[in-house]
């Protein structure tokens, strides 16, 4: 089959690789009909995620058709149309049982590496490094889905892929980002990053009762999307000082909750950005925490920070004093897809949510290298690339 294989920093290639096979009774093989490039795939593309190796198949947002099942699977049959969550959960450990699927004890067979670095083992994610399991990714014609009896959601045949695909990753990530804010009626929620996760975090914040949602970015097309579809007020951080603008928009208090939908490749301004960029290049700091710093200072006293942008390692110059003295609450983590997917599918079926507005580019799988390039460089107003195998 054809698959998108990582080569080195800023280089992917579409290569011919062996088809996946059933390895365990609870496996299924899915023929992929749509797969997306996620903002967090750009961290891999850019060479920022450790333990990604040359030749690894990447990608974790996907849907398709069941073409083979293991003998332990009785809830799926050939021809079923399914969406699969990006985090892999066994369904039976204490964490999966408590709906904290991305903390699964059993899905990461290479957990020893993670245990050394993080102290514990978390769930695996498709195509997201050997640290996170080493599973083959989804930017391919076929994929092996482990624990398929608990890890897939059947979807109707008569709704286009573009409406359903994002319940695999981007929508539940945004939704969980808003849920972690414990939004109260009347709250103002500020969202850093108006990419796809940011858009769904903003929409979710309104669904959960926020009175005002503010989106922060520097790309006009993303800010326009946030205004039009997420009904957000917006800040272009290259035009105004974000902290001052937020104060002005919140009567001098700061937002009640702040969501980070950017993660480890955040861009700052001025000297601070130079510091992070340099330290990251020298590998003295793995992640650039500009958004975290800004949120800690901008948030109102007693507010909540919800971190959904991906971080992998170590950060520097964190204003912990601000966070401590202001009594901030920090909540974060990889999303628990299986917890939210049925609810989100229901919203789509009831036409309360139509996520297809985020798709700016649809390309054949063969053009993945071009897709990565324009997405990384934000060329051609690129917000979301869907690949069609
Ligand atoms: Zn993702
Ligand atoms: Zn589990």
């Amino acid at each position: 089959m054809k698959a998108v294989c990582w080569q080195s920093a800023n280089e992917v290639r579409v290569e011919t690789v062996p088809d996946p096979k059933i390895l365990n009774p609870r496996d299924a093989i899915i023929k992929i009909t749509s797969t997306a490039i996620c903002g967090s795939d750009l961290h891999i593309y850019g060479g920022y995620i450790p333990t990604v190796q040359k030749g690894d198949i990447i990608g974790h947002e996907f849907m398709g058709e069941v073409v083979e099942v293991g003998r332990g699977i009785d809830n799926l049959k050939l021809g079923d149309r399914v969406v699969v969550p990006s985090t892999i959960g066994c369904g039976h450990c204490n964490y999966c049982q408590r709906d904290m699927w991305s903390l699964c004890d059993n899905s990461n067979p290479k957990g020893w590496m993670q245990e050394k670095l993080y102290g514990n083992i978390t769930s695996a994610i498709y195509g997201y490094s050997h640290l996170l399991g080493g599973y083959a990714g989804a930017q391919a014609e076929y994929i092996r889905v482990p624990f398929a009896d608990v890890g897939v959601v059947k979807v109707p045949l008569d709704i286009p892929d573009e409406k359903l695909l994002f319940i695999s990753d981007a929508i539940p990530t945004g939704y969980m980002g808003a849920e972690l804010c414990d939004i109260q009626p009347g709250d103002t929620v500020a969202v850093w990053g108006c990419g796809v996760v940011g858009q769904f975090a903003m929409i979710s914040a309104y669904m959960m009762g926020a009175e005002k949602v503010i989106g922060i970015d520097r790309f006009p097309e993303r800010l326009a999307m946030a205004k039009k579809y997420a009904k957000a007020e917006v800040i272009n951080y290259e035009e105004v000082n974000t902290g001052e603008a937020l104060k002005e928009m919140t009567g001098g208090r700061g937002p009640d909750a702040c969501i980070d939908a950017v993660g480890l490749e955040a861009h700052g301004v001025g000297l601070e950005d130079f510091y992070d960029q340099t330290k990251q290049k020298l590998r003295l700091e793995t992640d650039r925490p500009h958004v975290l710093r800004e949120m800690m200072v901008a948030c109102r006293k007693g507010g909540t920070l919800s971190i959904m942008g991906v971080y992998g390692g170590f950060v520097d110059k964190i204003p912990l004093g601000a966070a401590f003295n202001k009594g901030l609450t920090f909540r974060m983590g990889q999303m628990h897809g299986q917890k939210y997917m049925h609810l989100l599918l229901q919203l789509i079926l009831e036409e309360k949510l139509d996520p297809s507005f985020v798709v700016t580019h649809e390309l054949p799988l063969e053009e993945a290298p071009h897709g990565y390039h324009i997405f990384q460089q934000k060329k051609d107003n690129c917000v979301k690339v869907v690949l069609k195998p």
Side-chain angles (χ1 to χ4, degrees):
M1 67 167 184
K2 293 263 187 286
V4 178
C5 299
W6 188 81
Q7 305 296 316
S8 60
N10 304 312
E11 193 192 356
V12 295
R13 267 187 228 154
V14 178
E15 296 185 329
T16 302
V17 300
D19 287 357
K21 288 193 181 78
I22 297 278
L23 299 180
N24 295 305
R26 293 172 66 196
D27 288 351
I29 305 291
I30 308 294
K31 181 181 195 298
I32 293 166
T33 53
S34 289
T35 172
I37 306 178
C38 177
S40 61
D41 289 329
L42 293 182
H43 306 319
I44 294 183
Y45 182 62
Y48 296 109
I49 303 290
T51 76
V52 178
Q53 293 168 8
K54 186 174 171 10
D56 284 351
I57 303 171
I58 56 179
H60 58 265
E61 302 190 355
F62 64 106
M63 61 180 296
E65 182 194 329
V66 177
V67 291
E68 201 180 338
V69 293
R71 58 187 156 75
I73 301 283
D74 50 17
N75 60 320
L76 296 173
K77 58 182 188 322
L78 305 193
D80 279 348
R81 188 176 185 224
V82 293
V83 183
V84 183
S86 56
T87 49
I88 305 172
C90 76
H92 296 301
C93 72
N94 188 261
Y95 288 99
C96 288
Q97 292 278 312
R98 289 158 64 197
D99 249 354
M100 298 159 87
W101 296 77
S102 72
L103 306 180
C104 176
D105 274 333
N106 295 323
S107 64
N108 185 347
K110 300 184 179 178
W112 60 269
M113 280 193 261
Q114 226 189 7
E115 195 160 26
K116 273 211 160 81
L117 194 60
Y118 295 163
N120 291 101
I121 300 167
T122 67
S123 86
I125 298 178
Y126 295 100
Y128 215 84
S129 83
H130 291 266
L131 194 66
L132 294 185
Y135 288 87
Q139 288 159 13
E141 290 180 281
Y142 297 90
I143 188 168
R144 178 176 74 93
V145 171
F147 311 117
D149 52 334
V150 294
V152 308
V153 172
K154 277 194 253 188
V155 294
L157 296 171
D158 59 347
I159 296 178
D161 279 17
E162 286 63 32
K163 284 193 182 184
L164 300 169
L165 172 61
F166 305 115
I167 59 172
S168 75
D169 188 68
I171 312 180
T173 305
Y175 188 88
M176 177 166 148
E179 191 183 72
L180 293 183
C181 294
D182 195 15
I183 294 167
Q184 304 297 312
D187 275 1
T188 295
V189 179
V191 179
W192 272 254
C194 296
V196 176
V197 168
Q199 301 287 342
F200 293 129
M202 290 185 265
I203 290 170
S204 304
Y206 274 127
M207 288 197 292
M208 292 172 198
E211 185 168 306
K212 192 191 303 198
V213 174
I214 302 167
I216 303 155
D217 207 297
R218 64 185 161 133
F219 295 103
E221 64 275 14
R222 291 171 185 237
L223 293 168
M225 200 180 254
K227 261 192 201 167
K228 183 171 176 193
Y229 294 99
K231 311 288 179 226
E233 294 182 25
V234 297
I235 294 173
N236 183 333
Y237 70 82
E238 284 186 336
E239 288 171 2
V240 296
N241 177 288
T242 304
E244 284 169 17
L246 284 170
K247 274 258 162 85
E248 235 166 68
M249 295 161 92
T250 55
R253 293 190 323 152
D256 300 285
C258 300
I259 300 176
D260 175 355
V262 178
L264 67 88
E265 285 183 77
H267 294 267
V269 283
L271 186 63
E272 184 204 337
D273 192 50
F274 176 76
Y275 174 89
D276 284 324
Q277 298 271 3
T278 307
K279 285 204 81 166
Q280 192 181 48
K281 283 197 183 85
L282 296 172
R283 295 292 186 253
L284 294 169
E285 167 181 69
T286 57
D287 306 355
R288 303 199 300 258
H290 169 72
V291 168
L292 291 183
R293 294 188 194 113
E294 202 162 70
M295 293 199 311
M296 287 170 164
V297 177
C299 192
R300 77 153 162 83
K301 293 178 283 183
T304 299
L305 307 190
S306 162
I307 307 169
M308 299 311 293
V310 168
Y311 292 87
F314 300 91
V315 296
D316 209 11
K317 299 282 186 288
I318 287 295
L320 195 62
F324 174 79
N325 286 291
K326 287 165 64 171
L328 301 183
T329 299
F330 281 65
R331 301 188 72 188
M332 64 191 88
Q334 300 280 5
M335 63 98 192
H336 308 304
Q338 296 83 338
K339 177 180 175 187
Y340 302 106
M341 287 172 78
H342 290 279
L343 165 79
L344 296 167
L345 174 62
Q346 203 50 42
L347 290 175
I348 293 166
L349 296 181
E350 290 169 8
E351 298 186 349
K352 290 180 179 151
L353 178 66
D354 179 357
S356 56
F357 72 89
V358 297
V359 180
T360 52
H361 292 73
E362 198 180 282
L363 300 171
L365 187 73
E366 286 72 19
E367 289 179 35
H370 174 66
Y372 270 92
H373 177 71
I374 59 169
F375 189 26
Q376 183 197 47
Q377 301 297 320
K378 310 290 181 282
K379 281 187 180 162
D380 196 18
N381 293 341
C382 182
V383 177
K384 190 68 170 176
V385 181
V386 173
L387 300 170
K388 293 285 191 179

